Amino acid sequence: MPDVKRLVKRTGALLDRVVPPPSGITILIYHRVGGGSTSEVDLDAEMFDRQLAHLREHHRVLSLDEALAELTTSDGWATPSGSGDRPPAGADDRRGVVITFDDGTDDFTEVVVPALARHGLPATLYVATHSIDEQVEFPWGAPPATWAGLRDALASGVELTIGSHTHAHWLLDRLDAATLAADLDRSIELIGEQLGVEARHFAYPKAVPGSPAAEIAVRQRFTSASLAASRVNRPGQTDVHRLTRTPVQRSDGFDTFGLKADGGLRLEGELRSLTARVRYRGAER
């Protein structure tokens, strides 16, 4: 890992000690597990399994809908799916974690779902439907899942929520209104036709906020929408169409993952969000 990334993580951890993260909901972003690449978003399967065990033991792991119920009521706590009647021993009743995945690569059905089943944990998958429907690799070379595989995952007994990640993985800060509407509607349509579920939740590609017109279109179609920024989502203080999420990376190390699950490493997330628009300047996806 480049020294600058290591420095940011260390500095962020120190800042968290000075100003601890507030209570609320931490939403983790994953992309791939066991894909065999060296990408920062492609985690080792054994490490992912260890992370799930940690979450199961030390956190209230909520479905996205459970988290949204807490965020919009501001009192009490939801019973975590598959986690018994009370939070794990020692857990803060006011804190919770949501597991989310972006894109829909083939390892989600082959590696992630079996791991979730072993630990009895819920998750949300935001699907970029074009790659799955046309069976073409994602732009970074990852094979897509299949509709049949996703249907099997939904029937596996794991509590899965399927949301939209657009159809063609366009960045929504640079599309005209007609293209934008057609893309979002096609994504919703395919998820309904192929999986028999309503796509009620949305994640912006690359976590880049949309244009004002795009944000309106997203709010009209979805119950919630997600970005990044690594902030804790606080009950009664969160715009559910601007949910913040925390990326999990292969270079994090287990201790760093623990800090992120607790709502920490906010500095890293803020810096990533500030540089995202520059990084993807000129890109369409």
Side-chain angles (χ1 to χ4, degrees):
M1 178 175 58
D3 289 343
V4 65
K5 289 187 177 181
R6 184 179 294 110
L7 177 62
V8 168
K9 291 179 189 294
R10 289 178 176 175
T11 304
L14 290 173
L15 289 175
D16 289 338
R17 293 180 184 178
V18 177
V19 183
S23 296
I25 307 297
T26 299
I27 305 177
L28 301 175
I29 311 174
Y30 290 92
H31 288 79
R32 302 191 69 190
V33 176
S37 74
T38 59
S39 169
E40 271 284 86
V41 298
D42 187 356
L43 270 66
D44 176 79
E46 291 184 3
M47 176 58 75
F48 179 65
D49 195 78
R50 187 181 176 194
Q51 291 176 358
L52 293 185
H54 174 86
L55 294 176
R56 171 77 184 191
E57 182 177 357
H58 297 288
H59 293 270
R60 293 190 306 128
V61 182
L62 308 174
S63 70
L64 181 58
D65 285 316
E66 288 170 338
L68 291 173
E70 286 197 9
L71 293 173
T72 54
T73 58
S74 79
D75 59 349
W77 51 270
T79 300
S81 298
S83 299
D85 296 329
R86 299 292 300 177
D92 185 338
D93 286 3
R94 297 164 297 173
R95 296 183 185 272
V97 173
V98 177
I99 300 168
T100 69
F101 276 78
D102 285 0
D103 303 326
T105 53
D106 62 349
D107 50 274
F108 183 81
T109 56
E110 296 174 8
V111 180
V112 174
V113 171
L116 292 169
R118 287 194 299 273
H119 295 279
L121 296 177
T124 293
L125 171 64
Y126 295 105
V127 177
T129 51
H130 173 264
S131 287
I132 295 173
D133 199 52
E134 299 293 332
Q135 282 298 287
V136 296
E137 289 188 340
F138 284 95
W140 45 97
T146 64
W147 290 123
L150 290 174
R151 286 192 290 270
D152 288 343
L154 286 169
S156 68
V158 175
E159 184 177 356
L160 295 178
T161 301
I162 302 295
S164 170
H165 199 40
T166 72
H167 179 57
H169 207 271
W170 298 111
L171 298 181
L172 297 192
D173 62 340
R174 58 205 70 183
L175 286 186
D176 64 83
T179 303
L180 168 69
D183 184 272
L184 295 179
D185 290 341
R186 183 57 176 157
S187 174
I188 295 169
E189 179 184 42
L190 281 169
I191 291 170
E193 289 178 351
Q194 294 292 340
L195 302 180
V197 298
E198 180 184 3
R200 298 186 299 109
H201 307 291
F202 180 78
Y204 285 91
K206 306 293 188 184
V208 174
S211 64
E215 185 167 353
I216 291 172
V218 167
R219 287 176 181 269
Q220 289 174 336
R221 290 165 172 81
F222 302 99
T223 301
S224 74
S226 295
L227 292 162
S230 299
R231 301 174 195 154
V232 175
N233 297 278
R234 305 187 68 183
Q237 302 179 38
T238 297
D239 180 349
V240 298
H241 286 90
R242 285 180 169 267
L243 295 170
T244 58
R245 298 188 294 164
T246 301
V248 179
Q249 300 174 307
R250 67 183 297 138
S251 63
D252 281 342
F254 193 71
D255 290 343
T256 299
F257 170 77
L259 294 175
K260 287 187 173 183
D262 286 334
L265 274 294
R266 292 163 291 174
L267 175 64
E268 181 186 66
E270 295 288 354
L271 292 176
R272 181 182 290 107
S273 294
L274 286 173
T275 59
R277 285 185 181 275
V278 175
R279 179 180 180 186
Y280 298 115
R281 181 178 295 162
E284 295 182 334
R285 296 182 173 88

